[in-house]
Amino acid sequence: MKFFEMAQKRESCRNFKPIDVEKEKLIKCIEAARLAPSACNGQPWNFIVAVEPDAVKKTREFVQEIGMNKFTSECRAFIIIYDGSASASATIAGRIKRRDYTQIDTGIAAAHICYAAMDQGLSTCILGWLNEVKIKGYFNIPESKRVHLVIAVGYAEDKPLRNKSRKPMEDILKFV
Ligand SMILES: Cc1cc2nc3c(=O)[nH]c(=O)nc-3n(C[C@H](O)[C@H](O)[C@H](O)COP(=O)(O)O)c2cc1C
């Protein structure tokens, strides 16, 4: 599939089949994230891929609080994106410019993961609703690090794609 077709067809999956995801495919997703651009090439990310039954069960719990993200009950793989060590130049640039480049960089990495998954016949849902403290505790992520996103990855039930709900171009674009 060409890029624009993928952008049109990618959608957040909330209907996973309860089947495992091949490790090689998950590794390719992380490889795509590894190749993503980042401020000063700081690559301020780390990834944990939860596929073992206990890790998967716990991750579901951590993204399902107060009834959210129930659809992840069928999902058998999660990618957790958290702070790695940024380069000194990225950290200094962020401080000078007062910008959180890490949030931006990890968001781009998340997009790479979603498209790499799609390219391999997988579906994803980015999850920002998560219990960061519990994720850190369970996965031994140091207190000082932020957990940015969890991405649910798996095979979708065959269902027609939803219509895209997006703002019209004229509301968001200005040529000057
Ligand atoms: C940072 C971020 C956090 C998100 N968190 C959740 C979430 O916790 N649960 C969920 O079902 N979808 C979540 N989504 C998916 C969005 O709801 C979805 O991308 C948006 O509605 C557009 O739909 P589409 O991805 O199907 O095109 C998140 C997306 C992003 C980018």
Side-chain angles (χ1 to χ4, degrees), residues 49-69:
V49 183
V51 286
E52 298 301 330
D54 194 61
V56 167
K57 185 168 161 279
K58 287 301 198 184
T59 307
R60 282 184 198 138
E61 270 175 47
F62 303 150
V63 297
Q64 286 192 355
E65 286 185 339
I66 62 160
M68 297 291 284
N69 295 329

Side-chain angles (χ1 to χ4, degrees), residues 10-12 14 69 71 125-129 149 162 164 166:
R10 186 217 51 83
E11 65 177 15
S12 298
R14 301 191 181 90
N69 295 329
F71 59 90
C125 188
I126 297 174
L127 305 170
W129 183 268
L149 292 167
R162 299 185 296 271
K164 286 257 174 243
R166 294 295 189 267

Side-chain angles (χ1 to χ4, degrees), residues 25-175:
K25 291 190 176 183
L26 292 163
I27 291 168
K28 274 198 162 178
C29 290
I30 304 304
E31 175 62 3
R34 202 173 70 86
L35 295 172
S38 58
C40 301
N41 200 20
Q43 305 163 62
W45 44 55
N46 275 327
F47 306 93
I48 292 173
V49 183
V51 286
E52 298 301 330
D54 194 61
V56 167
K57 185 168 161 279
K58 287 301 198 184
T59 307
R60 282 184 198 138
E61 270 175 47
F62 303 150
V63 297
Q64 286 192 355
E65 286 185 339
I66 62 160
M68 297 291 284
N69 295 329
K70 284 282 174 214
F71 59 90
T72 57
S73 293
E74 307 303 329
C75 187
R76 300 278 179 87
F78 294 94
I79 297 174
I80 294 131
I81 307 180
Y82 68 102
D83 281 343
S85 48
S87 64
S89 51
T91 307
I92 292 164
R95 281 202 192 126
I96 292 170
K97 289 292 174 193
R98 296 217 220 153
R99 306 195 60 101
D100 186 353
Y101 292 121
T102 299
Q103 294 251 23
I104 298 168
D105 296 339
T106 51
I108 295 170
H112 275 223
I113 288 171
C114 293
Y115 283 105
M118 189 179 178
D119 194 45
Q120 301 177 89
L122 295 164
S123 295
T124 53
C125 188
I126 297 174
L127 305 170
W129 183 268
L130 52 87
N131 187 317
E132 185 173 6
V133 172
K134 288 187 181 168
I135 291 177
K136 282 190 206 175
Y138 181 79
F139 290 105
N140 290 319
I141 296 170
E143 183 65 40
S144 58
K145 304 283 185 193
R146 297 300 313 261
V147 175
H148 296 281
L149 292 167
V150 172
I151 305 181
V153 187
Y155 290 95
E157 298 283 359
D158 294 327
K159 284 204 177 159
L161 294 176
R162 299 185 296 271
N163 287 329
K164 286 257 174 243
S165 164
R166 294 295 189 267
K167 294 178 182 173
M169 190 70 99
E170 56 272 22
D171 286 8
I172 59 168
L173 169 70
K174 181 160 81 175
F175 275 104

